[in-house]
PDB file of all heavy atoms in Angstrom:
ATOM      1  N   LEU A 517     -36.864 -52.803-174.953  1.00  0.00           N
ATOM      2  CA  LEU A 517     -38.153 -52.132-174.992  1.00  0.00           C
ATOM      3  C   LEU A 517     -39.168 -53.026-174.287  1.00  0.00           C
ATOM      4  O   LEU A 517     -39.156 -54.245-174.381  1.00  0.00           O
ATOM      5  CB  LEU A 517     -38.540 -51.970-176.475  1.00  0.00           C
ATOM      6  CG  LEU A 517     -39.948 -51.449-176.859  1.00  0.00           C
ATOM      7  CD1 LEU A 517     -40.193 -50.031-176.307  1.00  0.00           C
ATOM      8  CD2 LEU A 517     -40.148 -51.506-178.350  1.00  0.00           C
ATOM      9  N   ASN A 540     -36.685 -53.784-183.385  1.00  0.00           N
ATOM     10  CA  ASN A 540     -36.359 -54.944-184.210  1.00  0.00           C
ATOM     11  C   ASN A 540     -35.199 -54.653-185.129  1.00  0.00           C
ATOM     12  O   ASN A 540     -34.236 -55.443-185.221  1.00  0.00           O
ATOM     13  CB  ASN A 540     -37.591 -55.367-185.026  1.00  0.00           C
ATOM     14  CG  ASN A 540     -38.561 -56.271-184.295  1.00  0.00           C
ATOM     15  OD1 ASN A 540     -39.684 -56.486-184.720  1.00  0.00           O
ATOM     16  ND2 ASN A 540     -38.138 -56.781-183.149  1.00  0.00           N
ATOM     17  N   ASN A 543     -32.076 -54.808-183.342  1.00  0.00           N
ATOM     18  CA  ASN A 543     -31.877 -56.029-182.561  1.00  0.00           C
ATOM     19  C   ASN A 543     -31.954 -55.871-181.087  1.00  0.00           C
ATOM     20  O   ASN A 543     -31.266 -56.553-180.318  1.00  0.00           O
ATOM     21  CB  ASN A 543     -30.537 -56.693-182.952  1.00  0.00           C
ATOM     22  CG  ASN A 543     -30.661 -57.548-184.171  1.00  0.00           C
ATOM     23  OD1 ASN A 543     -31.651 -58.304-184.294  1.00  0.00           O
ATOM     24  ND2 ASN A 543     -29.726 -57.457-185.103  1.00  0.00           N
ATOM     25  N   HIS A 544     -32.821 -54.923-180.652  1.00  0.00           N
ATOM     26  CA  HIS A 544     -33.048 -54.801-179.176  1.00  0.00           C
ATOM     27  C   HIS A 544     -34.077 -55.832-178.752  1.00  0.00           C
ATOM     28  O   HIS A 544     -35.101 -55.988-179.414  1.00  0.00           O
ATOM     29  CB  HIS A 544     -33.580 -53.389-178.892  1.00  0.00           C
ATOM     30  CG  HIS A 544     -32.619 -52.282-179.059  1.00  0.00           C
ATOM     31  ND1 HIS A 544     -32.977 -50.963-178.883  1.00  0.00           N
ATOM     32  CD2 HIS A 544     -31.344 -52.287-179.490  1.00  0.00           C
ATOM     33  CE1 HIS A 544     -31.915 -50.198-179.111  1.00  0.00           C
ATOM     34  NE2 HIS A 544     -30.910 -50.971-179.516  1.00  0.00           N
ATOM     35  N   PRO A 545     -33.861 -56.423-177.634  1.00  0.00           N
ATOM     36  CA  PRO A 545     -34.857 -57.349-177.084  1.00  0.00           C
ATOM     37  C   PRO A 545     -36.128 -56.571-176.728  1.00  0.00           C
ATOM     38  O   PRO A 545     -36.054 -55.444-176.252  1.00  0.00           O
ATOM     39  CB  PRO A 545     -34.189 -57.919-175.850  1.00  0.00           C
ATOM     40  CG  PRO A 545     -32.737 -57.722-176.048  1.00  0.00           C
ATOM     41  CD  PRO A 545     -32.635 -56.453-176.814  1.00  0.00           C
ATOM     42  N   ILE A 546     -37.281 -57.243-176.920  1.00  0.00           N
ATOM     43  CA  ILE A 546     -38.591 -56.587-176.629  1.00  0.00           C
ATOM     44  C   ILE A 546     -39.485 -57.539-175.826  1.00  0.00           C
ATOM     45  O   ILE A 546     -39.564 -58.723-176.174  1.00  0.00           O
ATOM     46  CB  ILE A 546     -39.339 -56.179-177.905  1.00  0.00           C
ATOM     47  CG1 ILE A 546     -38.400 -55.632-178.983  1.00  0.00           C
ATOM     48  CG2 ILE A 546     -40.459 -55.212-177.568  1.00  0.00           C
ATOM     49  CD1 ILE A 546     -39.145 -55.254-180.238  1.00  0.00           C
ATOM     50  N   VAL A 547     -40.152 -56.988-174.842  1.00  0.00           N
ATOM     51  CA  VAL A 547     -41.163 -57.753-174.105  1.00  0.00           C
ATOM     52  C   VAL A 547     -42.561 -57.214-174.498  1.00  0.00           C
ATOM     53  O   VAL A 547     -42.769 -55.985-174.592  1.00  0.00           O
ATOM     54  CB  VAL A 547     -41.019 -57.533-172.586  1.00  0.00           C
ATOM     55  CG1 VAL A 547     -42.158 -58.182-171.828  1.00  0.00           C
ATOM     56  CG2 VAL A 547     -39.677 -58.127-172.083  1.00  0.00           C
ATOM     57  N   LEU A 548     -43.518 -58.128-174.674  1.00  0.00           N
ATOM     58  CA  LEU A 548     -44.923 -57.719-174.816  1.00  0.00           C
ATOM     59  C   LEU A 548     -45.673 -58.206-173.603  1.00  0.00           C
ATOM     60  O   LEU A 548     -45.650 -59.372-173.299  1.00  0.00           O
ATOM     61  CB  LEU A 548     -45.561 -58.319-176.098  1.00  0.00           C
ATOM     62  CG  LEU A 548     -47.090 -58.106-176.194  1.00  0.00           C
ATOM     63  CD1 LEU A 548     -47.415 -56.618-176.360  1.00  0.00           C
ATOM     64  CD2 LEU A 548     -47.662 -58.906-177.419  1.00  0.00           C
ATOM     65  N   VAL A 570     -44.417 -56.897-185.030  1.00  0.00           N
ATOM     66  CA  VAL A 570     -43.222 -56.767-184.304  1.00  0.00           C
ATOM     67  C   VAL A 570     -42.747 -58.144-183.827  1.00  0.00           C
ATOM     68  O   VAL A 570     -43.561 -58.949-183.449  1.00  0.00           O
ATOM     69  CB  VAL A 570     -43.436 -55.873-183.044  1.00  0.00           C
ATOM     70  CG1 VAL A 570     -42.180 -55.777-182.170  1.00  0.00           C
ATOM     71  CG2 VAL A 570     -43.921 -54.459-183.437  1.00  0.00           C
ATOM     72  N   LYS A 571     -41.458 -58.393-183.900  1.00  0.00           N
ATOM     73  CA  LYS A 571     -40.949 -59.663-183.392  1.00  0.00           C
ATOM     74  C   LYS A 571     -40.572 -59.472-181.942  1.00  0.00           C
ATOM     75  O   LYS A 571     -39.630 -58.712-181.615  1.00  0.00           O
ATOM     76  CB  LYS A 571     -39.702 -60.070-184.207  1.00  0.00           C
ATOM     77  CG  LYS A 571     -39.268 -61.444-183.772  1.00  0.00           C
ATOM     78  CD  LYS A 571     -38.077 -62.013-184.383  1.00  0.00           C
ATOM     79  CE  LYS A 571     -37.471 -63.141-183.471  1.00  0.00           C
ATOM     80  NZ  LYS A 571     -38.211 -63.470-182.257  1.00  0.00           N
ATOM     81  N   PHE A 572     -41.305 -60.120-181.051  1.00  0.00           N
ATOM     82  CA  PHE A 572     -41.035 -60.015-179.622  1.00  0.00           C
ATOM     83  C   PHE A 572     -40.106 -61.073-179.166  1.00  0.00           C
ATOM     84  O   PHE A 572     -40.176 -62.251-179.602  1.00  0.00           O
ATOM     85  CB  PHE A 572     -42.367 -60.088-178.853  1.00  0.00           C
ATOM     86  CG  PHE A 572     -43.186 -58.839-179.017  1.00  0.00           C
ATOM     87  CD1 PHE A 572     -44.205 -58.773-179.963  1.00  0.00           C
ATOM     88  CD2 PHE A 572     -42.937 -57.714-178.251  1.00  0.00           C
ATOM     89  CE1 PHE A 572     -44.944 -57.658-180.127  1.00  0.00           C
ATOM     90  CE2 PHE A 572     -43.682 -56.564-178.406  1.00  0.00           C
ATOM     91  CZ  PHE A 572     -44.708 -56.539-179.355  1.00  0.00           C
ATOM     92  N   SER A 573     -39.230 -60.717-178.240  1.00  0.00           N
ATOM     93  CA  SER A 573     -38.310 -61.714-177.649  1.00  0.00           C
ATOM     94  C   SER A 573     -39.061 -62.498-176.594  1.00  0.00           C
ATOM     95  O   SER A 573     -38.852 -63.717-176.461  1.00  0.00           O
ATOM     96  CB  SER A 573     -37.138 -61.004-176.953  1.00  0.00           C
ATOM     97  OG  SER A 573     -36.643 -59.972-177.795  1.00  0.00           O
ATOM     98  N   VAL A 574     -39.943 -61.824-175.839  1.00  0.00           N
ATOM     99  CA  VAL A 574     -40.710 -62.465-174.803  1.00  0.00           C
ATOM    100  C   VAL A 574     -42.117 -61.935-174.817  1.00  0.00           C
ATOM    101  O   VAL A 574     -42.362 -60.739-174.968  1.00  0.00           O
ATOM    102  CB  VAL A 574     -40.119 -62.147-173.404  1.00  0.00           C
ATOM    103  CG1 VAL A 574     -40.996 -62.725-172.252  1.00  0.00           C
ATOM    104  CG2 VAL A 574     -38.690 -62.653-173.260  1.00  0.00           C
ATOM    105  N   VAL A 575     -43.109 -62.849-174.682  1.00  0.00           N
ATOM    106  CA  VAL A 575     -44.488 -62.463-174.448  1.00  0.00           C
ATOM    107  C   VAL A 575     -44.827 -62.974-173.044  1.00  0.00           C
ATOM    108  O   VAL A 575     -44.658 -64.158-172.776  1.00  0.00           O
ATOM    109  CB  VAL A 575     -45.453 -63.043-175.490  1.00  0.00           C
ATOM    110  CG1 VAL A 575     -46.901 -62.701-175.109  1.00  0.00           C
ATOM    111  CG2 VAL A 575     -45.116 -62.517-176.873  1.00  0.00           C
ATOM    112  N   ARG A 576     -45.207 -62.050-172.157  1.00  0.00           N
ATOM    113  CA  ARG A 576     -45.529 -62.454-170.779  1.00  0.00           C
ATOM    114  C   ARG A 576     -46.948 -62.101-170.426  1.00  0.00           C
ATOM    115  O   ARG A 576     -47.344 -60.934-170.519  1.00  0.00           O
ATOM    116  CB  ARG A 576     -44.576 -61.785-169.796  1.00  0.00           C
ATOM    117  CG  ARG A 576     -44.750 -62.381-168.373  1.00  0.00           C
ATOM    118  CD  ARG A 576     -44.614 -61.384-167.249  1.00  0.00           C
ATOM    119  NE  ARG A 576     -45.719 -60.440-167.229  1.00  0.00           N
ATOM    120  CZ  ARG A 576     -46.911 -60.685-166.706  1.00  0.00           C
ATOM    121  NH1 ARG A 576     -47.197 -61.829-166.138  1.00  0.00           N
ATOM    122  NH2 ARG A 576     -47.851 -59.806-166.749  1.00  0.00           N
ATOM    123  N   ASN A 620     -44.963 -68.493-182.357  1.00  0.00           N
ATOM    124  CA  ASN A 620     -44.652 -67.016-182.370  1.00  0.00           C
ATOM    125  C   ASN A 620     -43.166 -66.729-182.283  1.00  0.00           C
ATOM    126  O   ASN A 620     -42.812 -65.585-182.191  1.00  0.00           O
ATOM    127  CB  ASN A 620     -45.425 -66.344-181.228  1.00  0.00           C
ATOM    128  CG  ASN A 620     -46.939 -66.399-181.483  1.00  0.00           C
ATOM    129  OD1 ASN A 620     -47.473 -65.601-182.243  1.00  0.00           O
ATOM    130  ND2 ASN A 620     -47.617 -67.354-180.862  1.00  0.00           N
ATOM    131  N   SER A 621     -42.354 -67.757-182.330  1.00  0.00           N
ATOM    132  CA  SER A 621     -40.882 -67.588-182.248  1.00  0.00           C
ATOM    133  C   SER A 621     -40.481 -66.631-181.116  1.00  0.00           C
ATOM    134  O   SER A 621     -39.736 -65.657-181.340  1.00  0.00           O
ATOM    135  CB  SER A 621     -40.342 -67.032-183.560  1.00  0.00           C
ATOM    136  OG  SER A 621     -40.754 -67.839-184.632  1.00  0.00           O
ATOM    137  N   CYS A 622     -41.052 -66.844-179.972  1.00  0.00           N
ATOM    138  CA  CYS A 622     -40.701 -66.001-178.831  1.00  0.00           C
ATOM    139  C   CYS A 622     -40.643 -66.849-177.581  1.00  0.00           C
ATOM    140  O   CYS A 622     -41.265 -67.924-177.512  1.00  0.00           O
ATOM    141  CB  CYS A 622     -41.767 -64.930-178.624  1.00  0.00           C
ATOM    142  SG  CYS A 622     -43.369 -65.574-178.189  1.00  0.00           S
ATOM    143  N   VAL A 623     -39.912 -66.390-176.595  1.00  0.00           N
ATOM    144  CA  VAL A 623     -40.012 -66.989-175.277  1.00  0.00           C
ATOM    145  C   VAL A 623     -41.362 -66.634-174.709  1.00  0.00           C
ATOM    146  O   VAL A 623     -41.766 -65.469-174.778  1.00  0.00           O
ATOM    147  CB  VAL A 623     -38.841 -66.535-174.401  1.00  0.00           C
ATOM    148  CG1 VAL A 623     -39.085 -66.903-172.935  1.00  0.00           C
ATOM    149  CG2 VAL A 623     -37.539 -67.145-174.876  1.00  0.00           C
ATOM    150  N   THR A 624     -42.058 -67.628-174.172  1.00  0.00           N
ATOM    151  CA  THR A 624     -43.377 -67.368-173.623  1.00  0.00           C
ATOM    152  C   THR A 624     -43.358 -67.567-172.092  1.00  0.00           C
ATOM    153  O   THR A 624     -42.824 -68.583-171.617  1.00  0.00           O
ATOM    154  CB  THR A 624     -44.390 -68.385-174.279  1.00  0.00           C
ATOM    155  OG1 THR A 624     -44.362 -68.134-175.673  1.00  0.00           O
ATOM    156  CG2 THR A 624     -45.800 -68.172-173.742  1.00  0.00           C
ATOM    157  N   VAL A 625     -43.868 -66.607-171.421  1.00  0.00           N
ATOM    158  CA  VAL A 625     -43.900 -66.649-169.971  1.00  0.00           C
ATOM    159  C   VAL A 625     -45.361 -66.521-169.516  1.00  0.00           C
ATOM    160  O   VAL A 625     -46.045 -65.541-169.754  1.00  0.00           O
ATOM    161  CB  VAL A 625     -43.071 -65.476-169.378  1.00  0.00           C
ATOM    162  CG1 VAL A 625     -43.125 -65.559-167.842  1.00  0.00           C
ATOM    163  CG2 VAL A 625     -41.633 -65.544-169.848  1.00  0.00           C
ATOM    164  N   THR A 634     -40.804 -70.739-171.396  1.00  0.00           N
ATOM    165  CA  THR A 634     -40.386 -71.717-172.392  1.00  0.00           C
ATOM    166  C   THR A 634     -40.047 -71.069-173.732  1.00  0.00           C
ATOM    167  O   THR A 634     -40.645 -70.065-174.084  1.00  0.00           O
ATOM    168  CB  THR A 634     -41.485 -72.791-172.599  1.00  0.00           C
ATOM    169  OG1 THR A 634     -41.001 -73.735-173.579  1.00  0.00           O
ATOM    170  CG2 THR A 634     -42.801 -72.201-173.100  1.00  0.00           C
ATOM    171  N   ASP A 635     -39.095 -71.666-174.419  1.00  0.00           N
ATOM    172  CA  ASP A 635     -38.815 -71.240-175.771  1.00  0.00           C
ATOM    173  C   ASP A 635     -39.384 -72.220-176.781  1.00  0.00           C
ATOM    174  O   ASP A 635     -39.100 -72.189-177.974  1.00  0.00           O
ATOM    175  CB  ASP A 635     -37.286 -71.147-175.947  1.00  0.00           C
ATOM    176  CG  ASP A 635     -36.543 -72.469-175.757  1.00  0.00           C
ATOM    177  OD1 ASP A 635     -37.224 -73.462-175.341  1.00  0.00           O
ATOM    178  OD2 ASP A 635     -35.348 -72.549-176.007  1.00  0.00           O
ATOM    179  N   MET A 663     -38.275 -57.763-166.678  1.00  0.00           N
ATOM    180  CA  MET A 663     -37.824 -58.758-167.668  1.00  0.00           C
ATOM    181  C   MET A 663     -37.150 -58.063-168.840  1.00  0.00           C
ATOM    182  O   MET A 663     -36.181 -58.610-169.391  1.00  0.00           O
ATOM    183  CB  MET A 663     -39.030 -59.598-168.132  1.00  0.00           C
ATOM    184  CG  MET A 663     -38.595 -60.842-168.882  1.00  0.00           C
ATOM    185  SD  MET A 663     -39.920 -61.950-169.070  1.00  0.00           S
ATOM    186  CE  MET A 663     -40.192 -62.494-167.384  1.00  0.00           C
ATOM    187  N   ILE A 667     -33.445 -59.221-170.119  1.00  0.00           N
ATOM    188  CA  ILE A 667     -33.103 -59.681-171.456  1.00  0.00           C
ATOM    189  C   ILE A 667     -32.273 -58.646-172.208  1.00  0.00           C
ATOM    190  O   ILE A 667     -31.454 -59.019-173.054  1.00  0.00           O
ATOM    191  CB  ILE A 667     -34.363 -60.087-172.302  1.00  0.00           C
ATOM    192  CG1 ILE A 667     -35.273 -58.911-172.594  1.00  0.00           C
ATOM    193  CG2 ILE A 667     -35.130 -61.218-171.610  1.00  0.00           C
ATOM    194  CD1 ILE A 667     -36.485 -59.253-173.495  1.00  0.00           C
ATOM    195  N   SER A 668     -32.403 -57.391-171.859  1.00  0.00           N
ATOM    196  CA  SER A 668     -31.492 -56.349-172.491  1.00  0.00           C
ATOM    197  C   SER A 668     -30.084 -56.570-172.063  1.00  0.00           C
ATOM    198  O   SER A 668     -29.173 -56.333-172.839  1.00  0.00           O
ATOM    199  CB  SER A 668     -31.923 -54.964-172.077  1.00  0.00           C
ATOM    200  OG  SER A 668     -33.238 -54.668-172.482  1.00  0.00           O
ATOM    201  N   PRO A 671     -28.740 -60.417-174.009  1.00  0.00           N
ATOM    202  CA  PRO A 671     -29.470 -60.531-175.287  1.00  0.00           C
ATOM    203  C   PRO A 671     -29.193 -61.901-175.966  1.00  0.00           C
ATOM    204  O   PRO A 671     -29.959 -62.322-176.798  1.00  0.00           O
ATOM    205  CB  PRO A 671     -28.913 -59.377-176.124  1.00  0.00           C
ATOM    206  CG  PRO A 671     -27.603 -59.032-175.495  1.00  0.00           C
ATOM    207  CD  PRO A 671     -27.768 -59.289-174.034  1.00  0.00           C
ATOM    208  N   ILE A 674     -31.886 -65.131-173.959  1.00  0.00           N
ATOM    209  CA  ILE A 674     -33.245 -64.637-173.667  1.00  0.00           C
ATOM    210  C   ILE A 674     -33.961 -65.591-172.723  1.00  0.00           C
ATOM    211  O   ILE A 674     -34.595 -65.153-171.738  1.00  0.00           O
ATOM    212  CB  ILE A 674     -34.037 -64.378-174.964  1.00  0.00           C
ATOM    213  CG1 ILE A 674     -33.351 -63.392-175.877  1.00  0.00           C
ATOM    214  CG2 ILE A 674     -35.464 -63.962-174.649  1.00  0.00           C
ATOM    215  CD1 ILE A 674     -33.316 -61.946-175.336  1.00  0.00           C
ATOM    216  N   LEU A 675     -33.946 -66.840-173.048  1.00  0.00           N
ATOM    217  CA  LEU A 675     -34.700 -67.831-172.244  1.00  0.00           C
ATOM    218  C   LEU A 675     -34.209 -67.834-170.781  1.00  0.00           C
ATOM    219  O   LEU A 675     -35.000 -67.772-169.853  1.00  0.00           O
ATOM    220  CB  LEU A 675     -34.576 -69.238-172.842  1.00  0.00           C
ATOM    221  CG  LEU A 675     -35.230 -70.377-172.030  1.00  0.00           C
ATOM    222  CD1 LEU A 675     -36.762 -70.221-172.014  1.00  0.00           C
ATOM    223  CD2 LEU A 675     -34.855 -71.748-172.609  1.00  0.00           C
ATOM    224  N   ALA A 678     -35.091 -64.564-168.995  1.00  0.00           N
ATOM    225  CA  ALA A 678     -36.492 -64.479-168.614  1.00  0.00           C
ATOM    226  C   ALA A 678     -36.796 -65.370-167.443  1.00  0.00           C
ATOM    227  O   ALA A 678     -37.501 -65.006-166.506  1.00  0.00           O
ATOM    228  CB  ALA A 678     -37.367 -64.872-169.816  1.00  0.00           C
TER     229      ALA A 678
END
Side-chain angles (χ1 to χ4, degrees):
Chain A
L517 173 63
N540 276 167
N543 275 317
H544 291 179
I546 320 178
V547 174
L548 173 64
V570 177
K571 186 184 159 2
F572 288 95
S573 315
V574 176
V575 175
R576 191 216 67 82
N620 293 280
S621 307
C622 65
V623 168
T624 300
V625 179
T634 181
D635 62 353
M663 194 167 289
I667 64 174
S668 297
I674 300 292
L675 176 66

